[in-house]
């Protein structure tokens, strides 16, 4: 089959015609080299290469409304339309199915049981180690063994009882951020309650009349800077219109950790470790959704003092709410970058109509890197090699004052961050997560600090990645998306990565 034939439109079909998808003929096992001519060794096709974007059985969703396509990047016919940029295009999930389950990657949900008419939760403030990156455990404060703490998820109208038992060595308080509740349960330090002493317990109980994106946190400032926060999600009695298929939550935080320490300096005025749900990129777990779904992302900035301009690649979203409440649709704003201030939450909604692996990150340059510190001596963390510092302890190492080479030809060179090498075991920790199956082999080099990835996968590839145990080669899913939706003739293979054992192929 010729390259030209691959570029012809898909044969007329209800969905293909409505979506206006530029189609290419499917790739077969025998002609992968034709589809990806720049890489004869490209991974063979995976999933169902002949699959076309389609509406799931049983869904009343439409492929195109007023010129906006849920399966193809598009704008729509009229900026005044309710469907321009997918503004009110519903997902596949009907409102009758109830709210989409909330997912906060790398965080658990706090279990509850019904006791005397209330949903009873048990929350334990405590010191915890958190693995920000493979092998890098940082000492912080959290709840129930986690930082951030586990998610509290309830429904509008519920009565909740939260039993807080303090395992910290100091007093603490719990504030339920944004809730309109009886004043003695507000948790505003000694203004409204006595401290919860070490080993002590306090019970908070109130009715939840609100709905939306909330969170809980310590009301001791330094404990906040030390990581004490968690989601408190309240689903509405009436499902938000339009209903979404995915509901994700991301908590952005900053810490200051000196190069010879594992303890965050909560008094610092600058920050060098950056986490999303307690992980730094590339250990942040991708958000994975299906092609054509409506997605909500709730993003909370719980940095001590730095705001975050958040940018999503490949899509235009609508800001549909904040930590106060859902915004009336007439005031929704279409964006691809939003500035989220300290202690603020912003809700983004969009139709995932552009398949691929899309980075989702803070755009502050220092927040797109990990552990930004000047190395002044050997690290004291385990597995650190200090041999080069012990080679000559009697005199300081010689200094080369030669002013030649590329570093002198170009002022400011180099600006690429150095270090952060990983062992094979650490690389395996990154790759052993289901959510990264089939991504390019060098993806960990691109995802750092306050970065994560939104993966938009056709239904068959979603099932391959998220619902099957079938092994998938690195880059195979990416290559398959290029075959179906990209420009196969200009596909670029990822360079082979040198492993710590000298092997190639990572």
């Amino acid at each position: 089959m010729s390259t030209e034939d691959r570029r012809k439109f898909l044969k007329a079909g209800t969905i293909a015609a409505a979506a206006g998808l530029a189609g290419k003929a499917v790739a077969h096992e025998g002609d992968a080299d034709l589809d990806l001519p720049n890489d004869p060794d490209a991974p063979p096709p995976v999933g169902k290469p002949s699959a076309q974007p389609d509406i799931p059985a049983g869904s009343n969703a439409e492929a195109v409304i007023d010129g906006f396509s849920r399966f193809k990047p598009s704008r729509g016919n009229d900026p005044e339309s309710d469907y321009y940029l997918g503004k009110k295009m519903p997902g596949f999930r009907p409102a009758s199915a109830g709210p989409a389950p909330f997912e906060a990657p790398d965080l658990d949900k706090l279990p509850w049981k019904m006791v005397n008419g209330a949903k009873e939760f048990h929350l334990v403030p405590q010191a915890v180690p958190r693995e920000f990156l493979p092998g890098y455990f940082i000492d912080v404060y959290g709840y129930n063994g986690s930082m951030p703490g586990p998610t509290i998820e309830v429904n509008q109208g519920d009565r909740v009882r939260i039993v807080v038992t303090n395992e910290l060595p100091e007093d603490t308080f719990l504030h339920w951020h944004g809730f309109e509740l009886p004043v003695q349960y507000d948790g505003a330090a000694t203004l409204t309650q006595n401290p919860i002493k070490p080993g002590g317990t306090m019970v908070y109980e109130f009715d939840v009349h609100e709905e939306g994106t909330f969170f809980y946190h310590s009301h001791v400032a330094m404990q906040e800077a030390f990581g004490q926060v968690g989601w408190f999600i309240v689903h509405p009695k009436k499902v938000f219109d339009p209903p979404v298929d995915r509901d994700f939550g991301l908590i952005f935080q900053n810490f200051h950790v000196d190069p010879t320490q594992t303890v965050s300096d909560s008094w610092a005025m600058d920050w060098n470790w950056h986490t999303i749900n307690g992980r730094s990129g590339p250990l942040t777990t991708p958000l994975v959704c299906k092609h054509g779904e409506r997605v909500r992302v709730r993003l909370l900035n719980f940095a001590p003092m730095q705001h975050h301009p958040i940018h999503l690649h490949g899509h235009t979203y609508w800001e549909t709410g904040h930590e106060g409440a859902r915004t009336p649709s007439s005031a929704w704003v279409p964006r691809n970058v939003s500035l989220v201030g300290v202690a603020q939450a912003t809700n983004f909604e969009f139709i995932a109509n552009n398949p691929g692996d899309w980075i989702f990150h803070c755009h502050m340059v220092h927040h797109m890197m990990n552990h930004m510190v000047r190395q002044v001596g050997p690290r004291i963390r385990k597995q650190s090699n200090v041999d080069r510092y012990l080679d000559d302890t009697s005199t300081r190492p010689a200094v080369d004052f030669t002013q030649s080479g590329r570093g002198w030809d170009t002022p400011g060179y180099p600006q690429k961050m150095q270090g952060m090498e990983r062992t094979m075991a650490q690389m395996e920790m990154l790759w052993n997560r289901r959510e990264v199956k089939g991504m390019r082999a060098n993806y960990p080099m691109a995802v750092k600090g306050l970065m994560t990835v939104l993966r938009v996968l056709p239904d068959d590839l979603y099932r391959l990645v998220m619902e099957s145990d079938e092994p998938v080669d690195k880059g195979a899913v990416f290559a398959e998306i290029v075959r179906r939706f990209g420009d196969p003739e200009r596909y670029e293979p990822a360079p082979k990565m040198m492993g710590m054992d000298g092997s190639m192929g990572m």
Side-chain angles (χ1 to χ4, degrees), residues 7 15 143 257 445 486:
R7 293 189 175 279
I15 300 302
Y143 299 94
V257 186
M445 298 176 64

Side-chain angles (χ1 to χ4, degrees), residues 245-298:
D245 300 292
R246 305 281 169 176
D247 192 353
F248 295 112
L250 303 175
I251 299 178
F252 281 41
Q253 293 170 278
N254 303 104
F255 301 87
H256 182 96
V257 186
D258 286 325
T260 57
Q261 297 292 320
T262 62
V263 180
S264 176
D265 180 1
S266 58
W267 287 21
M269 299 295 287
D270 60 338
W271 317 96
N272 57 19
W273 270 102
H274 313 294
T275 63
I276 299 177
N277 289 356
R279 307 290 195 198
S280 291
L283 193 54
T284 49
T285 297
L287 314 178
V288 188
C289 64
K290 293 182 181 180
H291 188 196
E293 289 185 327
R294 186 178 183 93
V295 177
R296 176 187 300 123
V297 178
R298 310 175 195 241

Side-chain angles (χ1 to χ4, degrees), residues 106-112 120-130 140-152 162-168 174 176 216 227-231:
D106 301 310
L107 298 177
D108 294 328
K109 293 184 180 180
L110 191 61
W112 58 270
E120 185 173 291
F121 299 84
H122 287 258
L123 199 60
V124 182
Q126 57 189 192
V128 300
R130 182 66 168 177
V140 289
Y141 282 3
Y143 299 94
N144 297 56
S146 175
M147 192 294 301
T151 298
I152 297 175
I162 305 164
V163 182
V164 179
T165 302
N166 183 15
E167 290 189 0
L168 294 173
L174 254 295
W176 316 100
Y216 63 88
Q228 288 203 294
V229 67
W231 286 113

